């Protein structure tokens, strides 16, 4: 019974599916890329997408197989090592080969056809090995796909392109060098120094060791070791081999068996690649410092400055002055929008405070999303138009009239007492006393009315100040804080997704909802906080508030 390549690939993907944690990490990193968009450095984003695509493609093609590539220069004995590990002569050996530009593959086990198709290995260059092949049998190598790649230093430049195209898709790399060209700068500068993140999945063979006199072998291997350390690969093992005499080949097979034991190498490599993608993304999203909240002193400072620039403070101060001086004629002037320069200054300060610590591309996006100074000026004018000036009553009981009545009543009482003393006809002191009591009562009523009016005007001043500042806060939220909070919320959500991709802390279900909640909470917090408390002038030395 035959099975199509697509069906076989799907079956192998089901059989060797990525674990839940790995799938969640990939989804989290893709979410971080989607949230960041063009605010992530293009080179970092493109490389991350390519790496994630390659990891997922690798699993779909069969994570149960381990692809090991033999890479070397012309004449290094790479094909001889390939034949020796396969246990039979599969490819031609020689300094010049007509098949140098085509890769060859030897497979231990079944089901590698989709994988070999993706690696672009010709059908005639595919070979199958089983337990009867090799000096020590092949059961322990089941699942191995061994590739013999073209020479990376060939005069035919497209041979090197085949190597460059294939290397990112393989799980393990065996570099084969010879005593004459092991120090070749092309090998070290173009390849080895760029693979420091894969040092745990590489092996270096010093082949043709039988051509080196025994006394100088130690020095030769020591020099190779030093050069690898200089390349940033101190953990890569080195084995001296001779394909012709079989020297070192048992150690190579043991290294392959150890690599194939336990969790498939493709899984381990996928975890390592995902961690590297997460590290690069996190570094690109981190910027220079921690992200500052768009709430706090700068929010209230903006309202305070707009209140002063638009005349709200002047109206409130005039109302409080009227409360203290009731006889003075009110001079209330409706607030006007601030000047364009003042509004632009407030806008730029809020953007600078909100973008503090953000990466450059995020700060640029924040500056684009936040409204202009003219937009802020118009919003302030529209909001203040909806706040009515209070009507302050003038005049009221005049205390000097009450005082005059007290004086008249007192004089009448004195005269009444004098008449009693002289014996002249009189009504007595009672009318005068009654008049005095009425005058004192009028004086007390006038004083109470004056105090009541002062309290009422002071309350009107506070209510107007609260309403006007709430209107200013709404304008700041609409034009400045809400757009800034949205950008900052997306940045926080992208950072959180990248962090999940690094640790695999959350499952895919609900991860997007979690990020959306972060963004909504960041926006709603700015729109609600300002109207719940009256903003006052912030302290000049208020410390910046920071959050992770």
């Amino acid at each position: 019974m035959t099975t199509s390549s697509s069906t076989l690939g799907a079956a192998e993907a089901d059989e060797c599916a990525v674990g839940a944690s790995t799938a969640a990490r990939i989804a989290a990193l893709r979410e971080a890329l989607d949230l960041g968009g063009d605010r992530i450095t293009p080179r970092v984003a493109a490389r991350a997408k390519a790496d994630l695509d390659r990891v997922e493609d690798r699993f779909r093609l069969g994570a149960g197989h381990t692809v090991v590539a033999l890479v070397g220069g012309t004449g290094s004995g790479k094909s001889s090592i390939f034949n020796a590990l396969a246990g039979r002569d599969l490819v031609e050996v020689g300094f010049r080969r007509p098949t140098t530009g085509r890769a060859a593959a030897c497979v231990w086990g079944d089901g590698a056809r989709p994988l070999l198709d993706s690696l672009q290995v010709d059908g005639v260059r595919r070979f199958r090995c089983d337990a009867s092949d090799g000096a020590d049998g092949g059961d322990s190598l089941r699942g191995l796909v061994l590739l013999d790649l073209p020479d990376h230093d060939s005069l035919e430049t497209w041979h090197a392109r085949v190597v460059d195209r294939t290397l990112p898709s393989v799980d393990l790399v065996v570099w084969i060098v010879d005593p004459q060209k092991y120090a070749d700068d092309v090998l070290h500068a173009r390849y080895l120094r760029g693979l420091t993140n894969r040092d745990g999945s590489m092996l270096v063979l010093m082949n043709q060791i039988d051509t080196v006199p025994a006394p100088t072998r130690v020095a030769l291997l020591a020099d190779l070791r030093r050069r690898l350390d200089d390349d940033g690969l101190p953990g890569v093992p080195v084995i001296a081999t001779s394909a012709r005499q079989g020297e070192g080949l048992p150690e190579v097979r043991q290294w392959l068996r150890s690599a194939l034991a336990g969790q498939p190498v493709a899984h381990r490599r996928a975890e390592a690649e995902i961690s590297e993608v997460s590290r690069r993304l996190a570094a690109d999203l981190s910027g220079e410092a921690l992200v500052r909240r768009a709430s706090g002193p700068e929010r209230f400072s903006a309202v305070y400055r707009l209140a002063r620039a638009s005349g709200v403070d002047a109206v409130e101060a005039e109302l409080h002055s009227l409360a203290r001086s009731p006889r003075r004629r009110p001079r209330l002037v409706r607030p006007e929008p601030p000047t364009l320069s003042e509004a632009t200054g407030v806008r730029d300060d809020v953007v600078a405070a909100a973008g503090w610590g953000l990466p450059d591309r995020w700060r640029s996006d924040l500056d684009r999303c936040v409204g202009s100074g003219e937009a802020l000026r118009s919003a302030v004018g529209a909001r203040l138009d909806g706040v009515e000036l209070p009507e302050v009553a003038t005049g009221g009981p005049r205390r000097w009239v009450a005082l005059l009545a007290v004086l008249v009543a007192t004089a009448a009482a004195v005269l009444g007492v004098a008449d009693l003393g002289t014996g002249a006809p009189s009504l007595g002191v009672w009318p005068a006393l009654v008049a005095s009591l009425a005058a004192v009562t009028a004086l007390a009523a006038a004083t109470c009315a004056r105090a009541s009016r002062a309290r009422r005007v002071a309350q009107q001043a506070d209510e107007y100040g609260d309403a006007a500042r709430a209107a200013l806060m709404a304008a700041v939220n609409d034009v400045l804080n809400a757009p800034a909070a949205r950008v900052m919320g997306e940045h926080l959500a992208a950072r959180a997704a990248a962090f999940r991709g690094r640790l695999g802390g959350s499952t895919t279900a609900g991860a997007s909802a979690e990020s959306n909640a972060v963004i909504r909470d960041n926006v709603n917090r700015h729109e609600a906080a300002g109207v719940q408390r009256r903003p006052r002038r912030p302290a000049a030395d208020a410390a910046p508030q920071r959050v992770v």
Side-chain angles (χ1 to χ4, degrees):
M1 179 179 180
T2 61
T3 305
S4 67
S5 297
S6 59
T7 304
L8 182 59
E12 291 180 349
D14 291 338
E15 180 181 354
C16 304
V18 188
S21 175
T22 302
R25 294 178 68 189
I26 293 176
L29 292 175
R30 290 199 182 279
E31 182 185 352
L33 290 169
D34 291 340
L35 287 169
D38 58 3
R39 294 167 295 193
I40 298 175
T41 304
R43 177 178 53 81
V44 174
R47 184 177 177 185
K49 291 176 182 178
D51 289 347
L52 294 177
D53 288 344
R54 185 172 60 251
V55 168
E56 290 185 324
D57 289 343
R58 179 68 181 84
F59 278 108
R60 281 195 296 268
L61 294 171
H65 291 90
T66 298
V67 181
V68 180
L70 303 180
V71 188
T74 303
S76 62
K78 174 170 46 66
S79 296
S80 298
I81 295 289
F82 180 81
N83 290 336
L85 293 175
R88 52 198 174 105
D89 293 337
L90 300 177
V91 295
E92 298 177 4
V93 177
F95 183 79
R96 297 178 59 87
R97 305 192 307 269
T99 57
T100 300
R102 296 185 297 161
C106 184
V107 181
W108 281 260
D110 301 316
R113 180 178 176 181
L115 182 58
L116 294 177
D117 289 341
S118 70
L119 294 172
Q120 301 182 28
V121 179
D122 294 342
V124 295
R125 301 281 290 170
R126 302 178 184 183
F127 308 98
R128 176 168 177 168
C129 297
D130 52 38
S132 61
D133 297 320
D136 54 355
D139 283 337
S140 59
L141 299 180
R142 184 170 298 278
L144 172 64
V145 177
L146 187 65
L147 297 180
D148 180 19
L149 295 184
D151 304 327
H152 66 76
D153 59 354
S154 173
L155 295 178
E156 298 289 344
T157 56
W158 65 273
H159 293 177
R161 288 199 294 269
V162 173
V163 176
D164 296 343
R165 183 195 69 218
T166 307
L167 277 181
S169 301
V170 303
D171 302 314
L172 302 173
V173 183
V174 178
W175 296 94
I176 301 176
V177 299
D178 62 82
Q180 289 74 37
K181 296 193 299 180
Y182 73 93
D184 183 21
D185 187 63
V186 173
L187 170 66
H188 292 270
R190 182 174 179 180
Y191 292 105
L192 294 180
R193 291 171 194 164
L195 295 172
T196 54
N197 62 316
R198 297 186 60 178
D199 58 345
S201 59
M202 290 197 298
L203 173 67
V204 175
L205 304 184
M206 174 62 82
N207 196 29
Q208 302 175 7
I209 194 66
D210 56 312
T211 64
V212 179
T216 60
R217 292 184 182 182
V218 174
L220 179 69
L221 295 174
D223 188 57
L224 175 59
R225 175 76 275 162
R226 180 186 60 80
R227 293 178 182 275
L228 292 175
D229 293 346
D230 292 342
D231 292 336
L233 302 171
V236 175
V238 176
I239 299 177
T241 61
S242 171
R244 182 171 55 184
Q245 297 185 359
E247 184 177 351
L249 293 182
E251 288 83 354
V252 176
R253 292 192 181 92
Q254 181 57 43
W255 184 82
L256 291 173
R257 283 194 296 268
S258 299
L260 292 171
Q263 186 185 37
V265 176
H267 281 255
R268 300 200 298 269
R269 178 169 173 252
E271 293 291 333
E273 288 201 16
I274 293 172
S275 295
E276 180 63 18
V277 171
S278 177
R279 185 194 64 78
R280 294 195 302 266
L281 270 182
D284 193 77
L285 289 168
S286 292
E288 301 171 354
L290 301 180
V291 179
R292 185 179 185 176
R293 295 189 300 194
S295 61
E298 68 274 4
R299 167 202 289 275
F300 298 137
S301 175
V303 174
Y304 167 78
R305 292 167 60 184
L306 291 174
R308 181 179 57 188
S310 62
V312 169
D313 286 353
V315 173
E316 189 176 13
E318 175 65 13
L319 289 172
H320 281 293
S321 177
L322 290 173
R324 296 189 297 270
S325 304
R327 304 311 308 161
R328 191 167 60 80
R329 185 177 298 277
R331 294 190 297 271
L332 298 179
V333 179
R334 177 172 290 278
E336 296 289 339
T339 65
L340 180 59
S341 62
E342 290 171 332
T344 302
V346 170
R347 182 259 184 203
D348 291 344
D349 287 348
V350 169
V351 169
W356 181 77
L358 287 176
D360 291 342
R361 300 180 71 88
W362 288 85
R363 279 202 301 268
S364 298
D365 185 63
L366 179 70
D367 188 66
R368 286 193 301 268
C369 292
V370 171
S372 64
E374 181 59 38
L376 178 61
R377 184 175 183 272
S378 300
V380 167
R383 290 285 185 175
L384 288 179
D385 285 343
V387 181
E388 296 294 335
L389 289 175
E391 295 184 2
V392 181
T394 60
R398 299 180 180 271
R399 287 195 298 175
W400 67 267
V401 176
L403 288 173
L404 181 60
V406 170
L407 291 175
V408 172
T410 302
V414 172
L415 292 175
V417 172
D419 290 341
L420 289 175
T422 60
S426 174
L427 295 176
V429 300
W430 293 109
L433 292 176
V434 171
S436 299
L437 180 62
V440 170
T441 302
L443 178 62
T447 302
C448 291
R450 177 187 174 93
S452 175
R453 176 188 175 280
R455 288 193 299 271
R456 185 170 62 255
V457 175
Q459 182 179 359
Q460 287 179 312
D462 290 339
E463 290 175 350
Y464 173 79
D466 288 344
R469 287 183 176 82
L472 293 175
M473 179 69 73
V476 171
N477 280 337
D478 292 343
V479 180
L480 305 181
N481 284 340
R486 189 170 296 107
V487 174
M488 295 174 65
E490 291 171 353
H491 178 256
L492 289 173
R495 287 186 65 193
F499 188 73
R500 290 198 309 272
R502 193 165 192 174
L503 299 181
S506 300
T507 59
T508 53
S512 180
E514 177 184 345
S515 296
N516 290 336
V518 170
I519 298 173
R520 287 196 306 271
D521 177 70
N522 210 45
V523 174
N524 294 338
R525 181 162 52 84
H526 293 80
E527 295 178 344
V531 299
Q532 295 175 355
R533 54 175 174 162
R534 185 182 180 192
R536 297 296 185 187
R537 182 174 183 175
D541 58 348
Q545 299 185 22
R546 306 179 186 181
V547 295
V548 176

